[in-house]
Amino acid sequence: MNDKGRALNKLEGTEKELQFYKNLISQLPFSFSYRDAEMGMQLDKGNDEYYSIFYNEEIQQTKLSHIDKKLEDLPFIEIENFLEPILDLVPHHIVFIDKKGVVTLCNLQACKDLHKSKEDIVGRHIRDLLQIPDEKINLLETLKSEKAIVNREILDKNYGINNTRIIRGPDGNIQRVIGVFHFLNGIKEAEKAALAGRIAAGIAHEIRNPLTTVRGFLQILQSNSDKVTADLFKTLLIPEIDRANKIISDFLRIAKPAEITTEEIKVKEFIYDYLGKFLNSEALLHNIVIEYETNPDILHCSFQVNREELLQVFINLLQNSLQAAGSAELQIQLKAERAGDDIRFTFKDNGKGISESIIDHIFDPFFTTKDEGTGLGLSVSQKIIENYNGTMDVFSDSSGTSFIIDLPISNPENGINYHSPRR
C-alpha cells in the first residue's frame, strides 16, 4: 500500500473514532457546554438529539447521528485531551485503557469516588486503580474477549452498573477500551440508612411504651414503701428509667424528627441575652474562661430557629469541651461572623483535641470514647443544625477543637426570606 493509501486509511480510522465519541455524547442524559479558547470552538449539548458547535462565534447546528464536516487527522492522545474536560462533567466513572491495560484517561468523578488523583491513575495499569484481581476487571475482560459489556450489575464493594466499549484503529486492532461505571454506592447506603431509621424508630417507640408503664408503677410503689426503699426508687430506679427514656428521645430526634415551633431571633439577642447567661453561669461553676467575639455587622441579623434546641447544641458542645479539657485552664471562644448569606458560629476550645483516627466518626450515632455517655450528643446537635438548613463541621489538632456552625440569615439582603426547618 502506498503512502496515500495509508494516509486515507488513517484518516478513515480517525474519523471513525471521532464518530464513536459523537455517539457517546449523544447517549449522555444531560446537557452541558464546553469551550476551547485556543481552538476557537465551543460545544453546547441540549437535552435533545442536537448539539451546537461554535466556530469563532458562528453557530453550526449539527445532528448527532450525521456529521458532514470532515475533521482533520488527529493523534489519538489529542482526541482524549479534547474530550477530557467534557467527560469531567459526567457524574459517572469514565476510564480509557490502551491495549496493554494502562489507563490513558480518567474523569474527575472516578478520581473522586476512588479517592485518587489523576496523577495517581493515568499511566498506570487499571488494576492499580481498582485494587482487585485482573479476572474481575470488566475493562480487561473486554480487552481479552473483544466483546463489549452492556449494563452489567457490579456487586462488590463498589456497587453499580458497568458498560464497556471498544475502539479499533485503521488496522482493526484495539486502540482503546472505554468503561462507563454508574456508581450507586451512595444510593444504596441512603436506602439502607432510611430503612434502618424506620425500623429503629419503630423499635424505639415500642420500648418507650413499657418504660412509661414501669415508671408509673415505680412511683406508686415509692409512695407506699419505707424510707430506704423509697430512696432507692428516687435515687436509682426512676432516674435510670428517665435516662433510658432520654436516650430514646435523642435517638428519635435523629431518626424521625418531630415538628417544633420556630421563631425569628437576632444574633445579639441570642448570644448576649440567652446563650450568654447560660455559658457565664457554667463558666463560674467549672472555673473556665469564655470569650465572645462578634462582628458588628452580624449582631442585628436574624435567623429562624427554636432557641431551646439551639441552646441544646451549645450545651452539648460545652460538655464535649469539659470532657476533653487538658491540664491547662479550659478556655472557650465563641465567635459570630457573617459568611455569605449565613451566620457562622465558631465554638473553639483549647482542649486535648480529637484524634485523627476518630474525627470522621464523632457525628455518628452512639459513637463515643467515654466510659459514660450515649454517643448521641453530637449526632443530635448536627441533626438540629441540618433541620434549619445549616451545616456543622469540626476541625481539631493538638491545640484544641473548633466546631463551625453555619445557619442561613433570614434577611440576607434586608428583606425577609424565611427558611423553614426540614422535617
Side-chain angles (χ1 to χ4, degrees):
M1 181 182 295
N2 57 29
D3 292 342
K4 183 178 180 180
R6 283 192 292 270
L8 289 173
N9 284 341
K10 187 175 182 180
L11 178 59
E12 181 182 352
T14 302
E15 290 178 351
K16 188 175 180 180
E17 292 164 4
L18 289 175
Q19 183 61 50
F20 176 86
Y21 292 121
K22 294 163 188 171
N23 293 340
L24 172 64
I25 293 173
S26 71
Q27 298 301 314
L28 299 179
F30 53 85
S31 60
F32 63 85
S33 178
Y34 169 67
R35 183 178 182 86
D36 190 316
E38 293 184 1
M39 297 181 66
M41 297 173 63
Q42 179 171 322
L43 171 66
D44 289 338
K45 182 184 181 300
N47 292 322
D48 52 21
E49 61 179 346
Y50 290 91
Y51 69 80
S52 298
I53 298 179
F54 295 74
Y55 298 95
N56 296 322
E57 308 305 327
E58 294 180 4
I59 300 176
Q60 296 196 13
Q61 189 76 10
T62 311
K63 192 169 183 178
L64 290 168
S65 58
H66 299 287
I67 308 297
D68 296 327
K69 180 176 175 63
K70 298 296 183 182
L71 298 173
E72 61 181 341
D73 188 14
L74 292 173
F76 202 94
I77 191 171
E78 291 189 25
I79 298 173
E80 290 178 325
N81 289 338
F82 173 79
L83 284 174
E84 184 175 6
I86 300 175
L87 299 182
D88 281 344
L89 301 174
V90 179
H92 308 308
H93 298 187
I94 298 179
V95 177
F96 290 23
I97 63 170
D98 62 17
K99 59 185 178 182
K100 295 181 180 179
V102 174
V103 177
T104 60
L105 186 150
C106 180
N107 75 336
L108 283 178
Q109 190 64 46
C111 297
K112 177 181 176 182
D113 288 336
L114 297 173
H115 307 293
K116 294 180 180 290
S117 66
K118 289 190 178 184
E119 292 74 18
D120 295 331
I121 297 171
V122 176
R124 302 179 65 179
H125 199 277
I126 184 65
R127 73 171 69 93
D128 296 331
L129 168 63
L130 300 181
Q131 297 292 313
I132 57 178
D134 287 7
E135 60 270 17
K136 293 185 178 182
I137 300 176
N138 289 340
L139 282 166
L140 295 182
E141 177 186 328
T142 297
L143 183 62
K144 182 178 179 180
S145 67
E146 300 190 8
K147 293 181 180 179
I149 294 171
V150 180
N151 293 335
R152 175 181 291 179
E153 186 177 18
I154 307 300
L155 298 174
D156 60 14
K157 63 180 181 179
N158 294 319
Y159 172 71
I161 305 298
N162 195 207
N163 287 272
T164 63
R165 296 294 185 271
I166 298 172
I167 301 178
R168 298 183 184 274
D171 56 1
N173 293 326
I174 293 178
Q175 292 289 321
R176 296 289 190 271
V177 176
I178 299 178
V180 179
F181 183 69
H182 189 181
F183 194 67
L184 298 174
N185 272 12
I187 296 174
K188 182 179 71 172
E189 292 302 319
E191 290 175 348
K192 287 170 58 179
L195 177 61
R198 290 194 294 269
I199 293 173
I203 294 173
H205 278 297
E206 293 302 317
I207 294 175
R208 171 178 273 178
N209 290 336
L211 284 180
T212 302
T213 302
V214 170
R215 192 182 193 283
F217 276 105
L218 287 177
Q219 286 180 304
I220 295 173
L221 291 173
Q222 177 185 356
S223 61
N224 297 323
S225 301
D226 57 47
K227 185 177 184 304
V228 175
T229 305
D231 287 343
L232 178 65
F233 283 125
K234 182 178 180 181
T235 60
L236 179 62
L237 298 180
I238 291 179
E240 285 300 300
I241 292 288
D242 291 340
R243 180 174 178 271
N245 195 46
K246 184 180 184 303
I247 293 173
I248 293 173
S249 298
D250 286 344
F251 177 74
L252 287 174
R253 185 178 291 181
I254 298 172
K256 191 178 180 181
E259 292 289 342
I260 60 166
T261 302
T262 65
E263 61 179 316
E264 185 179 9
I265 185 171
K266 285 184 169 55
V267 173
K268 180 180 179 180
E269 178 186 351
F270 176 74
I271 292 180
Y272 293 106
D273 298 338
Y274 191 66
L275 174 63
K277 291 181 178 179
F278 167 79
L279 292 179
N280 292 337
S281 63
E282 291 297 303
L284 291 173
L285 180 63
H286 297 284
N287 192 29
I288 59 179
V289 176
I290 299 180
E291 298 178 353
Y292 300 89
E293 181 180 341
T294 53
N295 196 311
D297 65 356
I298 200 73
L299 289 178
H300 296 288
C301 289
S302 302
F303 55 104
Q304 192 84 4
V305 294
N306 179 287
R307 67 171 69 195
E308 293 182 3
E309 273 202 337
L310 191 56
L311 174 63
Q312 183 61 50
V313 169
F314 286 99
I315 290 175
N316 292 340
L317 295 183
L318 178 61
Q319 291 175 343
N320 192 75
S321 295
L322 289 170
Q323 292 166 350
S327 56
E329 180 184 49
L330 181 62
Q331 296 181 348
I332 292 174
Q333 181 186 56
L334 177 61
K335 182 178 180 180
E337 59 188 330
R338 184 163 182 159
D341 286 343
D342 290 336
I343 299 166
R344 173 164 294 173
F345 295 99
T346 303
F347 190 93
K348 184 180 187 306
D349 65 39
N350 64 336
K352 294 179 291 186
I354 302 172
S355 169
E356 185 177 351
S357 62
I358 67 171
I359 195 167
D360 290 337
H361 302 287
I362 64 168
F363 292 116
D364 294 347
F366 300 109
F367 178 83
T368 181
T369 58
K370 308 176 184 68
D371 294 333
E372 295 183 2
T374 63
L376 287 172
L378 291 178
S379 300
V380 170
S381 298
Q382 187 182 56
K383 188 64 178 179
I384 289 172
I385 299 302
E386 289 176 349
N387 285 339
Y388 296 114
N389 301 312
T391 60
M392 183 174 182
D393 296 306
V394 60
F395 301 93
S396 187
D397 55 29
S398 58
S399 65
T401 300
S402 296
F403 286 91
I404 313 297
I405 298 172
D406 286 351
L407 289 169
I409 301 173
S410 296
N411 53 346
E413 301 298 335
N414 295 323
I416 300 300
N417 180 24
Y418 292 117
H419 295 262
S420 299
R422 292 194 299 261
R423 292 299 183 188

